[in-house]
């Protein structure tokens, strides 16, 4: 960029564009670091960055710790072959006999309790390996319970490899090093900040200096047990993803798989696990005794689970065992759950797509190319669910072409009221009119949607619902489910993971879910009225202003806008 011109920065949770500004401006938003740099030259920029960083380093150097310089790449390890013993092997063999050769078995995990159930089951039943990869793993009740079960699996002799992005880990080094101390657990961190346990301001300045590297985050989500079953999709690990958060729960979606695609998920995990972008857990001890850190970590998570045992036990509702939380899980207690899976299995061919973990050089854009091919190859219908939806003019032009050919294109995304990220919303809102004019149907989720009951876990009654599902259905035959939003960050900056599967059964189930979300009791439909103004319509009436939680949210959005 030269002189005064426009510049774009794709932030952690949004997209910003500034024009006709000179010099350099820093913008820091809550809940993350959103920094927009506009410069006249690279030399001026580097000098400015260093001058900004120097006083910060001097001020916090006595408090924050610095990640040691890595002396050599991490030791390589690979997924172990699928086991030939144990519960998961037995059910995997039964599934193999039920479906055609070369196909995989699929289950949609839409409800939060069902998704948590599946992860607990895979953890409790694994006899050989657990390979786990996440963008976020919270230290709340859900995160603590699942961590407790993972440790129990390791105590049984299961090899656990845990790979986490560093986005929310910079103040949790003790947890990383402590968990890594277990002889059967290895923890690795993707693309870490160098300054640890530092203030938000310090992290912001490091981000400024290393923006080309730190801006690339690992957004992948994968859970693989014994190389026989895998879960991928939109959920991170935390209360709000499993219906346990009082303020806000996510309407999310995962898919559990058995068959050939599981090996592909394991291969993608290995590519990240062995990449030059990861640091092993022993780099995060900061001089502490790892055994003591492990004891502290287990004491903490056990305390969290015990303190909230009444909440967790409340998942047992009458005879409907929605979330079995047993102190000593046994195979028999999970058998009925897997029998339900067998009765509701769908099957079909599929391919796994994921971006390269290589963040130091130009990355091939694999997932985006595949999604473009999927959407714009439609003959009859495209259904899209994306919590953060930020198209561009090329996308709108393609939509216009599809609708001119008689293809129905319908999109459901968050309203301002249901959105937990006002920055992303300000980028999306300007594309409402172009999308409608291109012929697309546009829906925005209601925060008070009737379907909210399906995503809360008793006894929690959340104040509002937000969309977090990332899915596409084309021609009621092809589906995409994964971690990528249809926005510029997911498709151009982050690394992502998803499958594109073919099969009428899985496609019809997913179509029904997305169509349900678009009903007027669950979403607002956006149209242009006779005065060419946007209006929002649902089962209760018509609104001329975008739905919001209240004046504070409207004011925040207006300031960001």
């Amino acid at each position: 960029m030269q002189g005064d011109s426009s510049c774009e920065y794709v932030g952690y949770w949004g997209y910003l564009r500034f024009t006709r500004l000179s010099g350099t401006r820093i913008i820091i938003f809550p809940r993350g670091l959103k920094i927009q740099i506009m410069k006249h030259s690279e030399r001026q920029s580097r000098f400015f960055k260093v001058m900004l960083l120097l006083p910060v380093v001097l001020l916090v150097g006595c408090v924050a710790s610095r990640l040691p310089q890595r002396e050599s790449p991490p030791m390589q390890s690979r997924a172990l072959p699928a086991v030939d013993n144990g519960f998961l092997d037995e059910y995997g063999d039964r599934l193999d006999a039920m479906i055609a050769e070369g196909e995989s078995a699929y289950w949609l995990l839409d409800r939060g309790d069902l998704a948590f159930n599946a992860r607990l089951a895979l953890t409790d039943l694994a006899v050989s390996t657990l390979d786990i990869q996440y963008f976020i793993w919270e230290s709340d009740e859900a995160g603590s319970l699942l961590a407790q079960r993972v440790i129990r699996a390791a105590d049984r002799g299961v090899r656990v490899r845990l790979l986490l992005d560093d986005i929310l880990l910079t103040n949790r080094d003790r947890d990383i090093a402590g968990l890594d101390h277990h002889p059967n657990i290895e923890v690795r961190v993707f693309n870490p900040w160098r300054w640890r346990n530092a203030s938000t301001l310090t992290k912001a300045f490091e981000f400024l200096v290393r923006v080309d590297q730190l801006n690339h985050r690992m957004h992948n989500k994968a859970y693989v047990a014994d190389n026989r079953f895998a879960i991928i999709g939109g959920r991170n690990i935390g209360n709000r993803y499993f219906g346990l958060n009082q303020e806000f729960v996510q309407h999310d979606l995962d898919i559990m798989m058995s068959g050939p695609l599981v090996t592909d998920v394991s291969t993608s995990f290995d590519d990240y696990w062995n990449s030059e972008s990861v640091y092993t857990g022993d780099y995060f001890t900061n001089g502490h005794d790892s055994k003591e850190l492990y004891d502290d970590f287990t004491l903490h998570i056990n305390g969290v689970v015990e303190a909230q045992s009444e909440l967790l036990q409340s998942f047992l509702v009458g005879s409907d065992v929605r979330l079995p939380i047993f102190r000593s899980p046994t195979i028999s207690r999970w058998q009925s759950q897997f029998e339900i899976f067998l009765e509701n299995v769908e099957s079909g061919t599929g391919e796994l797509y994921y971006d390269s973990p290589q963040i130091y050089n130009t990355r091939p854009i694999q997932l985006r190319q595949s999604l473009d091919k999927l959407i714009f190859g439609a003959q009859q219908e495209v259904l899209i669910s994306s919590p953060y939806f930020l198209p561009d003019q090329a996308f709108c032009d393609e939509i216009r072409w599809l609708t001119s050919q008689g293809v129905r294109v319908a999109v459901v995304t968050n309203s301002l009221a249901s959105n937990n990220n006002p920055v992303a919303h300000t980028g999306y809102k300007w594309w409402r009119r172009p999308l409608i004019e291109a012929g697309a149907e546009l829906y925005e989720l209601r925060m008070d949607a009737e379907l909210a009951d399906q995503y809360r876990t008793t006894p929690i009654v959340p104040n509002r619902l937000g969309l977090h599902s990332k899915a596409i259905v084309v021609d009621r035959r092809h589906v995409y489910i994964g971690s990528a939003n249809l926005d510029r960050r997911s498709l151009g900056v982050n690394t992502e993971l998803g499958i594109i599967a073919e099969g009428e059964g899985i496609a019809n189930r997913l179509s029904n879910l997305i169509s349900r979300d678009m009903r007027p009791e669950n979403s607002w439909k956006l149209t242009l009225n006779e005065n060419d103004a946007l209006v929002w319509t649902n089962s209760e009436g018509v609104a001329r202003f975008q739905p919001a939680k209240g004046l504070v949210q409207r004011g925040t959005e207006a300031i960001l806008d």
Side-chain angles (χ1 to χ4, degrees):
M1 180 169 46
Q2 298 177 351
D4 292 345
S5 60
S6 66
C7 181
E8 302 176 351
Y9 165 64
V10 184
Y12 292 165
W13 287 277
Y15 166 82
L16 306 175
R17 181 179 179 91
F18 295 85
T19 58
R20 298 180 183 176
L21 293 175
S22 300
T24 303
R25 172 174 292 185
I26 304 170
I27 299 174
I28 302 177
F29 289 99
R31 295 195 60 207
L33 315 173
K34 279 82 171 176
I35 300 174
Q36 172 69 22
I37 306 168
M38 283 158 245
K39 52 189 179 294
H40 293 296
S41 70
E42 281 298 320
R43 181 177 299 176
Q44 290 175 334
S45 174
R46 290 195 189 101
F47 177 79
F48 187 73
K49 291 177 183 178
V50 172
M51 290 301 100
L52 284 174
L53 183 62
L54 183 58
V56 176
V57 173
L58 293 175
L59 285 171
V60 305
C62 60
V63 178
S65 59
R66 200 175 194 279
L67 192 67
Q69 186 69 31
R70 190 172 59 190
E71 298 177 357
S72 60
M75 183 177 296
Q76 303 279 295
S77 70
R78 298 289 173 183
L80 300 179
V83 297
D84 57 3
N85 66 293
F87 183 95
L88 297 180
D89 176 61
E90 174 190 340
Y91 272 78
D93 287 344
R94 288 175 62 181
L95 285 163
D96 290 344
M98 293 170 58
I99 61 180
E101 184 177 356
E103 292 186 344
S104 293
Y106 305 120
W107 300 267
L108 290 180
L109 306 177
D110 57 326
R111 299 197 323 263
D113 61 323
L114 183 62
F116 202 12
N117 219 344
R119 287 167 173 82
L120 288 176
L122 295 187
T123 308
D124 291 344
L125 298 171
V127 298
S128 177
T129 61
L130 286 171
D131 289 336
I132 305 170
Q133 178 183 24
Y134 279 97
F135 178 57
I136 293 172
W137 190 307
E138 301 280 9
S139 57
D140 54 18
E141 288 81 8
S144 296
L145 177 60
L146 192 54
Q148 185 185 73
R149 293 299 184 84
V150 168
I151 291 173
R152 289 181 183 176
D155 289 342
R156 299 194 307 267
V158 174
R159 186 192 77 170
V160 177
R161 297 188 296 172
L162 176 61
L163 176 59
L164 300 173
D165 187 85
D166 194 44
I167 185 70
L168 294 181
L169 290 181
T170 56
N171 294 315
R172 294 175 62 188
D173 287 10
R174 296 172 63 90
D175 295 347
I176 298 168
L179 190 56
D180 186 69
H181 172 78
H182 194 293
N184 289 327
I185 300 177
E186 185 176 358
V187 182
R188 295 186 179 183
V189 177
F190 186 87
N191 193 16
W193 264 254
R194 290 173 183 159
W195 286 104
R196 316 301 301 173
N197 303 305
S199 68
T200 299
L201 182 62
T202 304
K203 289 185 286 187
F205 278 107
E206 182 180 347
F207 185 87
L208 174 63
V209 172
R210 301 175 59 214
V211 63
D212 291 341
Q213 179 181 338
L214 290 177
N215 196 29
H216 295 289
R217 305 317 316 170
M218 184 189 73
H219 200 235
N220 312 37
K221 293 105 174 169
Y223 209 101
V224 187
D226 287 349
N227 218 352
R228 292 304 306 253
F229 287 82
I231 298 172
I232 69 168
R235 283 184 177 90
N236 296 297
I237 304 300
N239 283 354
R240 63 187 171 124
Y241 304 100
F242 301 110
L244 280 172
N245 187 37
Q246 184 71 49
E247 173 61 27
F248 180 73
V249 297
Q250 304 278 35
H251 165 343
D252 220 324
L253 182 68
D254 299 313
I255 186 168
M256 186 164 75
M257 302 173 290
S258 176
L261 276 174
V262 175
T263 302
D264 296 338
V265 177
S266 293
T267 298
S268 76
F269 181 92
D270 285 346
D271 286 350
Y272 282 82
W273 183 257
N274 296 310
S275 76
E276 62 179 348
S277 305
V278 302
Y279 274 65
T280 54
D282 56 319
Y283 279 94
F284 299 87
T285 58
N286 192 28
H288 297 286
D289 180 82
S290 61
K291 174 62 167 62
E292 293 181 2
L293 296 179
Y294 174 76
D295 291 341
D296 290 345
F297 178 73
T298 54
L299 183 66
H300 170 72
I301 63 170
N302 292 338
V304 170
V305 173
E306 186 65 29
Q308 295 298 326
S309 59
E310 184 176 348
L311 170 65
L312 298 176
Q313 288 290 346
S314 69
F315 285 92
L316 302 175
V317 181
S319 60
D320 177 19
V321 184
R322 301 179 65 191
L323 185 59
I325 299 183
F326 303 106
R327 296 189 180 280
S328 301
T330 63
I331 289 177
S332 62
R333 286 168 172 161
W334 285 119
Q335 191 164 4
S336 60
Q337 183 65 61
F338 270 81
E339 291 296 335
I340 294 173
F341 285 151
L342 287 176
E343 293 172 2
N344 292 276
V345 67
E346 300 291 352
S347 62
T349 58
E351 290 189 58
L352 184 80
Y353 296 92
Y354 60 97
D355 294 313
S356 167
Q358 181 59 258
I359 62 171
Y360 297 102
N361 301 312
T362 302
R363 295 185 297 112
I365 304 175
Q366 297 154 306
L367 187 55
R368 178 173 186 167
Q369 295 165 345
S370 303
L371 291 180
D372 284 347
K373 183 178 179 181
L374 172 68
I375 294 171
F376 302 125
Q379 301 296 313
Q380 298 169 333
E381 181 184 63
V382 179
L383 302 178
I384 296 173
S385 176
S386 181
Y388 311 123
F389 184 61
L390 190 60
D392 54 21
Q393 190 57 52
F395 184 91
C396 289
D397 291 343
E398 292 284 0
I399 295 301
R400 186 184 302 277
W401 182 85
L402 283 175
T403 57
S404 72
Q405 302 301 305
V407 176
R408 179 194 179 212
V409 179
V411 179
V412 60
T413 187
N414 274 306
S415 63
L416 175 60
S418 67
N419 204 324
N420 68 328
N421 181 5
V423 176
H425 186 81
T426 59
Y428 148 75
K429 65 181 288 186
W430 301 108
W431 292 99
R432 289 164 166 159
R433 181 180 295 274
L435 284 165
I436 295 171
E437 291 176 344
E441 299 173 26
L442 186 58
Y443 301 85
E444 294 181 356
L445 189 73
R446 295 172 58 172
M447 72 172 188
D448 62 345
E450 282 190 10
L451 60 83
D453 280 347
Q454 300 183 41
Y455 294 94
R456 72 179 185 90
T457 304
T458 305
I460 295 296
V461 181
N463 294 334
R464 63 190 179 104
L465 180 72
L467 183 68
H468 202 250
S469 302
K470 307 105 164 46
I472 302 170
V473 186
V474 173
D475 296 339
R476 307 270 169 149
R477 182 71 188 176
H478 307 275
V479 305
Y480 160 78
I481 299 172
S483 65
N485 304 295
L486 290 188
D487 68 4
R488 301 176 201 181
R489 175 155 195 87
S490 276
L491 300 181
V493 181
N494 283 344
T495 70
E496 305 286 355
L497 172 76
I499 66 160
I500 295 178
E502 181 176 355
E504 290 185 1
I506 189 70
N508 283 329
R509 285 179 184 263
L510 185 53
S511 296
N512 291 339
L513 287 178
I514 297 178
S515 297
R516 175 207 62 185
D517 295 349
M518 295 175 176
R519 293 174 190 159
E521 64 268 25
N522 296 319
S523 283
W524 301 85
K525 183 175 183 180
L526 279 73
T527 55
L528 299 175
N529 65 12
E530 63 277 5
N531 297 319
D532 201 36
L534 281 170
V535 293
W536 286 256
T537 305
N538 68 11
S539 57
E540 298 177 2
V542 179
R544 293 186 299 112
F545 300 99
Q546 63 176 341
K549 288 190 299 179
L551 291 177
V552 173
Q553 190 185 45
R554 289 190 188 279
T556 301
E557 195 264 349
I559 292 170
L560 292 175
D561 193 32

